[in-house]
Amino acid sequence: MKQKGGMIMRSDAVKKGMQQAPHRSLFNALGLTQEEMDKPLIGIVNSYNEIVPGHMNLDKITEAVKMGVALAGGVPREFPAIAVCDGIAMGHVGMKYSLVTRDLIADSTECMAMAHQFDALVCIPNCDKNVPGLLMAAARLNIPTIFVSGGPMLAGHVKGQKRSLSSMFEAVGSYAAGTMTEKDVYEFECNTCPTSGSCSGMYTANSMNCLTEVLGMGLKGNGTIPSVYSERIKLAKHAGMQIVELVKKNIRPRDIMTEKAFMNALTVDMALGCSTNSMLHLPAIAHEAGVELNMDIANEISAKTPNLCHLAPAGPTYIEDLNAAGGVYAVMNELNKKSLLYTDLMTVTGKTVAENIAGCENLNPEVIRPIDNPYSQTGGIAVLKGNLAPDSGVVKRSAVVPEMLVHEGPARVFDCEEDAIEAIKGGKIIPGDVVVIRYEGPKGGPGMREMLNPTSAIAGMGLGSSVALITDGRFSGASRGASIGHVSPEAAVGGPIALVEEGDIIKINIPENKLDFVISDEELAARKAKWQPREPKVTTGYLARYAKMVTSGNRGAILEF
């Protein structure tokens, strides 16, 4: 790397000197001029595709970013990243391939950036694993990087009410219960997802895009400006311009994504009521940044962080409403009134957190509760422990009805998601039951499938306030109710969830962060002695390799080799 006029030019390794003449001949083949070869080479990681609604507009975002880079004196060069639509992958073998793409995205981006010696990156993600995968790559590569997402979908409208994808899944459950007609479901089908963008509630994609702002890796509005707003195009241009400034100042991801930045992310996560998937992704991103993020700290942060937002599915407001209320910075400004954030941290704006959020007022106290009038004094996510989850289990507390915060009932045990759905829709689950779905963890799945179908079926069958669901798999941010996921150790490695039997009494106490089943130590030891590992569900291809390398959910399902 060489310093030129204040800029560190990694790309000189492929552009300058006699040994690089062959490289320059290939740049000539690309049509680059000598003037361009003297400027910083900016990799534009474009996650555009034609199968994911959150990504169908990324071609326009990319063109705007490239324009911004060029305006600021950089040379943009575009390359792709993959993305899976979790909604389309839901409920079948495709969901095994969702979480695992996070590592494919990080690895392939690392390969492209290192092979071509880009001076910096602009990452253009939007959906669930695409955002954390690129954040992992940014932390790993540690070259100047900025994020600009494709933006959230506008809420749908059905019978005069705002609706989102979770409403659609619950409508299918209502149809199974006989409380909706086929015509009703069709009306939902045609109106719940009306635009491009990441689905309109505080689901995983929007959670991670909002937290990208908090981490300091995206500009103001990155998480909330709707996909179809022209303001999103302006944001993309500004991101393109700002990356050149980051190259000039040599501000890099590990300067930004520090331990304190991750503490801020957890704090705002609790205030927003983000998806439980953030408890998988933040540790994985932190790991790549050289930060050890122990999820035990989540409850400590939750205990002192009020929950300020009840965005869908926890409540009737949507990301577009959060945007109009002042966005993520307004939430951060509310939290800062009680000094709950570290504000002296650097961000991609070139300014500190304190400078960024100054004057960002809460414009709608119905969407963002004032700090003195929160929905609850504790945060939106809880980490549970006990003899059923010795390492951890995770629940979106803000989306649990009060009567289910403490629950005790008999286990209804299923060894895969499909069997549980059949039982729920077949009327075999009754009020008071605790549905246990196991062998769906990172290794056991493999791939740790999301359980939006069974949680939505429970809600749609009218059981949301009387039935809990526990799994070593995970949940979509669209899930609501007493849905406890990421139970670790998982069943595939002999965790206690593998030892639960039909009818065992399970005790859930979310206020006390406890998850137990009633069993003597002697009986538990006897069951453990009899337990045998199961044959892998997948023995070939990427999933088989993933299953051999992946760690448990409480560690972020990171890969070890």
Side-chain angles (χ1 to χ4, degrees), residues 442-443 446 536 538-551 558-561:
K443 284 185 180 295
V538 179
T539 58
T540 60
Y542 180 61
L543 284 179
R545 296 197 302 274
Y546 180 88
K548 289 181 180 180
M549 298 168 67
V550 71
T551 62
I558 61 172
L559 301 185
E560 287 187 338
F561 43 85

Side-chain angles (χ1 to χ4, degrees), residues 277-294:
N277 279 317
S278 63
M279 297 294 106
L280 281 175
H281 299 322
L282 289 175
I285 299 161
H287 175 75
E288 296 289 354
V291 173
E292 188 65 34
L293 193 61
N294 188 327

Side-chain angles (χ1 to χ4, degrees), residues 474-528:
R474 60 195 177 91
F475 295 110
S476 164
S479 294
R480 60 188 177 98
S483 303
I484 302 166
H486 310 191
V487 170
S488 303
E490 62 173 293
V493 298
I497 192 171
L499 311 178
V500 177
E501 294 183 357
E502 188 81 8
D504 284 348
I505 298 300
I506 293 180
K507 301 173 75 171
I508 300 165
N509 192 320
I510 294 172
E512 295 185 6
N513 304 313
K514 292 181 179 179
L515 179 61
D516 295 286
F517 67 128
V518 179
I519 187 172
S520 68
D521 291 343
E522 294 77 15
E523 175 63 17
L524 186 60
R527 291 186 191 179
K528 179 69 173 175

